[in-house]
Amino acid sequence: MAQAPSLLLEYKTPPKYLKQPASEKYSDPAMAFPHSDWMREGLPIGNGRLGAMVMGDPLNERIQFNEISLWTGGANESGKYSADEPGGFGSYQNFGDLFITMKGMDRYENYRRSLDLATGIHTTTWTSDGVTYKREVFCSHPDECIVIRMTADKPVEIFADIEMRDTVGEPAPIQNRGSDGIYFNGELDNGMQYAALVRSHGCLSHPIPDKNQRRLAGSQLELRLYAATNYALDAEANFRSKKTASQKITEWSTGKHKPYDELHTRHLTDFTKLMGRVTLDIGAPPEGLDLHQRLERYRQGSQDPHLEMLLFQMGRYLLISSSRHCLPANLQGLWNDMNHPAWNSDYHTNINIQMNYWPVEVANLSECAMPLFNWIEASIPGSRAATQKAFGEDTPGWTMRTSVNISGGNGWEWNLPASAWFCLHYWEHYTFTRDEVFLRERAWPIFEEVCQFWLAKLIEKDGKLLVPDGWSPEHGPREDGPAHDQQVVWALFTHTLEAAKVLEINNDLVKQVRIARSKLLGPEIGTWGQIMEWRVERPTLEKSQHRHTSHLFAVYPGSQITLQQDPELAKAAVISLAARGNAGDSRRSWTWGWRCALWARLGMPSQASDMVRGQLTWNTLPNLLATHPPFQFDGNAGITAGMCEMFVQSHADAIFVMPAISTKRNWRQGSFKGLKARGGFEVGGSWKDRAARSASIVSQLGNPVTLRIPNIKPATIQVIPSEGEAFEAKRREDGTYHFQTRPGERYDITWKVTEAKVDR
């Protein structure tokens, strides 16, 4: 069995090797150094609720930590977008810092640092006075804590001072707890309680007089860091738990002491179960270079397919690390070192939070979608109240403003299609998993209410239904019927009708939706062959290098325009996308991922590949975090989603294997496995010498499969099931291959390579 590609982010240079480049000057002083060090040099760990940036300093380590629910603000009934107004929108907060100062050593050599994306473990090693030291840090989901262990390769005593600081506001009193811990707690003006505890294990621990520090000594040093708030994702409880933050920490930190090996094993078992589902192999890493050197060489034009693979897996890693508890990943996932971060580190509903979750189904992380659904449903009461306040008490259903916080509070501009776009995520979860209970009990009630909003909201002009006072985020004027809004509502109505068919529902609402969809204004082609962004042409805006490609929603993440069913509209989409360009305002963290997915769906592999290169060249930091600037998680999630569309597509009534792999450039050979396709399938594929070679399908539910393979038209393909006899599937008139599957069975598929065309 082939060994999985290395997922190590490796460095041989100590922290603070980079200064802020002149090209990235921020208008906000808070964005400047030292924040830039945190953003460039910190390596993220997380369990979905608790997370940290590990700085990797051998002698003076800083571990900056967050808890995803530590927010100011509240229900924000005013609708203003203010972080400071009591009960207003609020802002995500920096929780605290843990400092580890090594004693008895003042120099070191042989520095190495790595974050293993496969395991979620950060490791720092160095040598001092002939002794090699190792510090491991990981964030455990099973045991709800950050674990730190320091060891030496020789029998020596290790000494270190530890200090923990409250960074939420005014420093809270730090307390020594018992014989082995440091503890602090506090409360924000919105009633949000918070508490943190760091406790040592298996070593001597003494308080340092007159300081909020402890001195540790032992042949190995082990720490466990806990942090909690009294938040609960429950609107009826005013988003507060019956348990205090201190009670939660006591619950997690007391009881039977688990040895480090058990914590380590439990973490590995849990984390690798998710991360190991998908592998991508497109080349080995170059020897002798650490990651920031590789990134710099890449920016100068060097090829490094392994770096592109790391970027792909980084999106999956961050999603696992920031979306496994009650709240979904925010603008920065869950990593934040400021109390007034950019855009409050909120949930932006006009693309950003949606992009966070674009890869979740296809990249085989369906469980990680649950926090998104949980948050949406908990936010509905606040959003419903805000909707009725803005549009009238008799307004049915609900939608959201552009910015939403963790308490259902809406702020900034109204984003009318927000709730309709969220319905697409519910539908996608069903199409990939075929979980009919989820569709009936969770998705359908939301479909009904959001459709009611739009049936009441749409206006009719010249026999067509239009979204009133719509917007092409964040571009151009407001007007009736912009392409983006029309396409989102079309997706809502279409998937509602599809869900109704599955659930055998044909009530009055379904009949109204069916009529309304038939009258919706659809995509239109303009005078220069483009998809019209508005109902009237605005060439200067349409051809501008704007970061948003909102008018191409119908191509991706929607599926209203496909190459197979709408070739003329797809051609127009190519013209529109090319007009946006790749310079100026288009160089933003998340634009590359969206455009990568768009080019892939439009059958343009070289252009899709260019987007991967663009993100690594222009909007990727030395730790592989995407920068807008500043760091934004959607850039990492978006490029992973875009690359998934290069390897497998299943939105157009068939599984299209390797539809947009640009082997003409640097991916001359490679393989992947574990990506998901709609209908309950796991998909793999391989290519070599510029030709697709093989595919594999694992049928989880036993549904029939329809397969499309690029650039080949053999009369038959060979299908080899894991059980039973091999058979041939004949090519149908539409160029696809069809066969029945059995639940749990794997099917390996090959064809005559001589009949394949050389890649474009």
Side-chain angles (χ1 to χ4, degrees), residues 47 76 82 168-169 256 282 291 305 357 448 636 661 718 720:
N47 70 3
N76 197 39
S82 170
V168 180
K256 183 180 178 181
I282 51 179
L291 194 61
Y357 288 88
E448 282 188 309
N636 287 104
I661 296 175
Q718 184 79 1
I720 307 170

Side-chain angles (χ1 to χ4, degrees), residues 63 98-101 135-138 145-150 160-163 180-182 197-205 214-216 220-226 260 263:
I63 298 174
L98 174 65
F99 295 95
I100 304 171
T101 303
R135 182 187 297 127
E136 291 181 307
V137 188
F138 61 87
C145 63
I146 295 171
V147 180
I148 304 111
R149 185 177 73 158
M150 290 164 280
D161 290 349
I162 62 169
E163 178 183 3
D180 56 8
I182 302 175
L197 168 69
V198 61
R199 172 171 286 173
S200 60
H201 290 269
C203 57
L204 297 176
S205 175
R214 298 187 74 90
R215 178 153 296 172
L216 310 181
Q220 66 177 34
L221 310 181
E222 183 185 331
L223 300 171
R224 299 176 192 179
L225 173 60
Y226 305 87
Y260 176 83
L263 290 174

Side-chain angles (χ1 to χ4, degrees), residues 16-91:
K16 297 190 172 73
Y17 58 80
L18 282 179
K19 299 298 181 183
Q20 187 177 7
S23 60
E24 287 195 44
K25 296 296 184 183
Y26 304 123
S27 57
D28 183 350
M31 297 293 182
F33 192 91
H35 170 79
S36 58
D37 277 353
W38 174 90
M39 193 166 58
R40 289 169 170 78
E41 298 177 6
L43 292 177
I45 59 172
N47 70 3
R49 178 190 65 84
L50 180 64
M53 280 287 206
V54 186
M55 300 305 295
D57 191 316
L59 305 187
N60 299 284
E61 178 64 290
R62 176 193 176 203
I63 298 174
Q64 183 274 326
F65 59 94
N66 293 102
E67 208 276 359
I68 200 167
S69 66
L70 186 60
W71 265 75
T72 59
N76 197 39
E77 294 178 358
S78 72
K80 297 178 182 178
Y81 193 46
S82 170
D84 300 319
E85 183 180 344
F89 192 82
S91 182

Side-chain angles (χ1 to χ4, degrees), residues 3 55 68 135 183 224 268 283 302 312 330 448 505 642-643 650 705:
Q3 186 176 0
M55 300 305 295
I68 200 167
R135 182 187 297 127
Y183 170 85
R224 299 176 192 179
L268 282 181
S302 295
F312 168 82
N330 60 43
E448 282 188 309
I505 297 172
M643 293 176 75
S650 59
V705 63

Side-chain angles (χ1 to χ4, degrees), residues 246-319:
S246 296
Q247 286 173 333
K248 291 180 182 181
I249 284 182
T250 299
E251 182 180 304
W252 294 328
S253 63
T254 58
K256 183 180 178 181
H257 169 65
K258 295 186 181 75
Y260 176 83
D261 288 347
E262 183 178 348
L263 290 174
H264 187 268
T265 298
R266 283 163 57 85
H267 166 74
L268 282 181
T269 300
D270 172 77
F271 194 87
T272 58
K273 176 184 69 175
L274 297 173
M275 194 67 195
R277 288 176 181 168
V278 173
T279 59
L280 171 62
D281 188 355
I282 51 179
E287 295 183 3
L289 299 176
D290 58 12
L291 194 61
H292 78 278
Q293 293 170 322
R294 292 171 60 186
L295 188 57
E296 185 58 33
R297 282 165 51 96
Y298 187 92
R299 287 170 174 159
Q300 301 303 317
S302 295
Q303 301 291 338
D304 192 341
H306 184 268
L307 181 63
E308 295 168 331
M309 181 276 294
L310 288 177
L311 183 66
F312 168 82
Q313 292 286 22
M314 186 67 166
R316 298 184 67 247
Y317 172 86
L318 294 173
L319 189 56

Side-chain angles (χ1 to χ4, degrees), residues 490 525 554 559-573 602:
W490 185 92
I525 298 176
S559 56
Q560 186 177 3
I561 297 175
T562 68
L563 275 172
Q564 291 74 31
Q565 298 170 351
D566 306 287
E568 290 303 313
L569 286 173
K571 181 180 177 181
L602 293 169

